Amino acid sequence: MKNTALTGVHTALGAKMVPFAGYNMPVQYTGINAEHETVRKGVGVFDVSHMGEFILKGENALALIQKVTSNDASKLYDGKVQYSCLPNEDGGIVDDLLVYRIDEKTYMLVVNASNIEKDWNWISKYNTDGVEMKDISDRTSLLAIQGPKAAEALQSLTDIDLASMEYYTFKKGTFAGINNVVVSATGYTGAGGFEIYFDNEHAEFIWDAVFKAGEPFGIKPIGLAARDTLRLEMGFCLYGNDIDDTTSPLEAGLGWVTKFSKEFTNSEALQAQKQAGVSQKLVGFEMIDRGIPRHDYTIVDAEGNNIGRVTSGTQSPSLQKAIGLGYVKNEFAKEGSEIYISIRDNKVKAKVVKPPFYK
């Protein structure tokens, strides 16, 4: 089990620690609902240092990114971030990721913790033009400081004007007196806020500075369990649950990051799939009858025929109702369709809704 530079801090705070993607991570501190609420209404801090970061550098860096990712990275400018995915050769997804353009010849890719080695090997396989690749994951810490009060809570720590930063942009600057910190207006909670990248050696110092600055705003540490309920309320995909090596980006509703204006891995097959239409789709649903949908529960129709499977599900803390994501046959994907989740051999009624669940 790997630790992050802040594992000792989480333990001292009494966090419940669990193994996650090969790391010892805090799943909760005081309780999921309270932590969830903190982020929706105030400001909370996640240690997400388990995520992977690669630097790609050189004349052909953009060409390599264009070859391996589905989105069009030529649209990026310095300081802009893009959500994308790495399609595999069989119609599935190697990973979803963020692409940061640092300058014309330098990019940072941020990948999921469980896929660091897989992604590195995948991108390396296509690196035939001498792009310099550096895996900086093990020396990089990452805090996600999320919530409507995030900009206000952090502003005293930096001369970067946080409130004016546009969504999916980043700046490099001084933060808590530390140089060369990447401050990014991104996050996976739908609550607004920032993600900050810095060297491990500064982790405890920056953590303490963030909590001191955020104290008047009721800042709290938040675990991975609330991160999951927050992202699910927005209908955001989680790799390994909602998308994986077998799910097509088009089935997963990621057509918006699948740009056929360029050639990329498996783009011809995916374009053919787009023209032919997909046979299943990832949909959002909310429970009508009582019951909580869980990963891999079967989805059935009124007659009890298998029509799909649940990929993510929870009791939504903000909405006080059970919600989920799942793949269903195309004919059941329409908004308002009645579906049933098989929970302990009972058919429990649900209806298809369009995410985000929390508006």
Side-chain angles (χ1 to χ4, degrees):
M1 289 291 292
K2 285 182 171 178
N3 289 322
T4 75
L6 292 163
T7 300
V9 172
H10 305 312
T11 311
L13 286 169
K16 182 183 175 192
M17 305 296 285
V18 297
F20 183 82
Y23 284 79
N24 192 17
M25 298 297 288
V27 69
Q28 63 180 54
Y29 298 83
T30 52
I32 300 171
N33 289 355
E35 291 173 31
H36 181 107
E37 179 106 331
T38 295
V39 176
R40 278 274 174 260
K41 296 187 172 163
V43 56
V45 184
F46 304 83
D47 175 13
V48 279
S49 307
H50 60 316
M51 299 291 280
E53 294 86 14
F54 307 153
I55 300 292
L56 270 56
K57 208 172 184 170
E59 294 288 342
N60 300 307
L62 177 61
L64 174 58
I65 289 165
Q66 290 288 66
K67 203 187 307 181
V68 297
T69 67
S70 62
N71 208 339
D72 185 358
S74 72
K75 298 276 193 281
L76 289 170
Y77 49 84
D78 294 2
K80 182 69 179 155
V81 190
Q82 184 181 72
Y83 179 67
S84 193
C85 71
L86 299 170
N88 65 22
E89 285 153 357
D90 310 309
I93 300 170
V94 177
D95 202 4
D96 62 335
L97 74 163
L98 293 179
V99 181
Y100 284 67
R101 175 167 146 153
I102 294 163
D103 61 45
E104 199 185 345
K105 295 175 186 170
T106 317
Y107 295 80
M108 177 168 77
L109 309 185
V110 182
V111 303
N112 284 301
S114 52
N115 293 334
I116 293 172
E117 193 181 345
K118 179 174 88 160
D119 292 358
W120 177 266
N121 293 339
W122 182 260
I123 297 163
S124 300
K125 182 173 99 168
Y126 288 94
N127 184 13
T128 50
D129 293 320
V131 175
E132 186 192 325
M133 289 175 59
K134 218 183 267 177
D135 180 357
I136 60 165
S137 311
D138 281 346
R139 62 177 174 85
T140 305
S141 287
L142 171 57
L143 294 181
I145 302 154
Q146 298 282 292
K149 294 182 183 171
E152 231 181 328
L154 299 178
Q155 190 57 72
S156 65
L157 296 173
T158 181
D159 52 8
I160 296 168
D161 182 6
L162 299 176
S164 72
M165 280 181 75
E166 285 176 25
Y167 192 43
Y168 268 66
T169 63
F170 72 96
K171 289 195 164 115
K172 245 185 185 184
T174 303
F175 185 91
I178 306 295
N179 293 328
N180 216 24
V181 174
V182 169
V183 178
S184 175
T186 49
Y188 223 53
T189 63
F194 303 89
E195 294 182 301
I196 55 174
Y197 300 81
F198 46 88
D199 286 341
N200 286 345
E201 61 185 288
H202 305 302
E204 287 197 26
F205 178 81
I206 286 181
W207 175 276
D208 290 343
V210 164
F211 276 87
K212 196 175 173 194
E215 200 176 338
F217 303 92
I219 201 164
K220 298 264 171 27
I222 314 291
L224 291 179
R227 183 176 165 85
D228 196 48
T229 54
L230 288 156
R231 69 92 196 165
L232 188 46
E233 285 184 349
M234 301 312 296
F236 294 155
C237 290
L238 177 66
Y239 193 90
N241 278 41
D242 314 298
I243 49 175
D244 58 34
D245 289 297
T246 67
T247 57
S248 139
L250 302 177
E251 294 171 342
L254 296 178
W256 63 283
V257 297
T258 309
K259 300 289 166 63
F260 297 114
S261 52
K262 58 160 202 169
E263 280 182 28
F264 57 86
T265 320
N266 206 41
S267 56
E268 273 181 36
L270 286 171
Q271 192 156 19
Q273 184 185 51
K274 187 183 179 179
Q275 278 154 1
V278 294
S279 58
Q280 62 166 7
K281 277 185 184 161
L282 184 67
V283 297
F285 61 86
E286 58 185 43
M287 302 304 293
I288 293 169
D289 294 340
R290 264 180 87 96
I292 297 179
R294 299 290 182 203
H295 179 66
D296 269 349
Y297 280 9
T298 303
I299 303 176
V300 297
D301 62 14
E303 283 72 53
N305 302 308
N306 186 336
I307 57 162
R309 66 183 175 92
V310 175
T311 55
S312 288
T314 195
Q315 175 74 13
S316 157
S318 302
L319 306 169
Q320 297 293 302
K321 61 170 85 161
I323 57 170
L325 296 173
Y327 285 94
V328 294
K329 288 181 178 171
N330 224 355
E331 57 268 35
F332 294 93
K334 207 164 156 266
E335 205 175 335
S337 297
E338 205 166 86
I339 58 174
Y340 296 82
I341 313 302
S342 182
I343 303 178
R344 288 183 289 280
D345 296 330
N346 293 320
K347 278 189 339 193
V348 185
K349 194 191 284 188
K351 72 166 177 190
V352 173
V353 297
K354 194 176 173 10
F357 301 96
Y358 179 80
K359 298 192 171 59

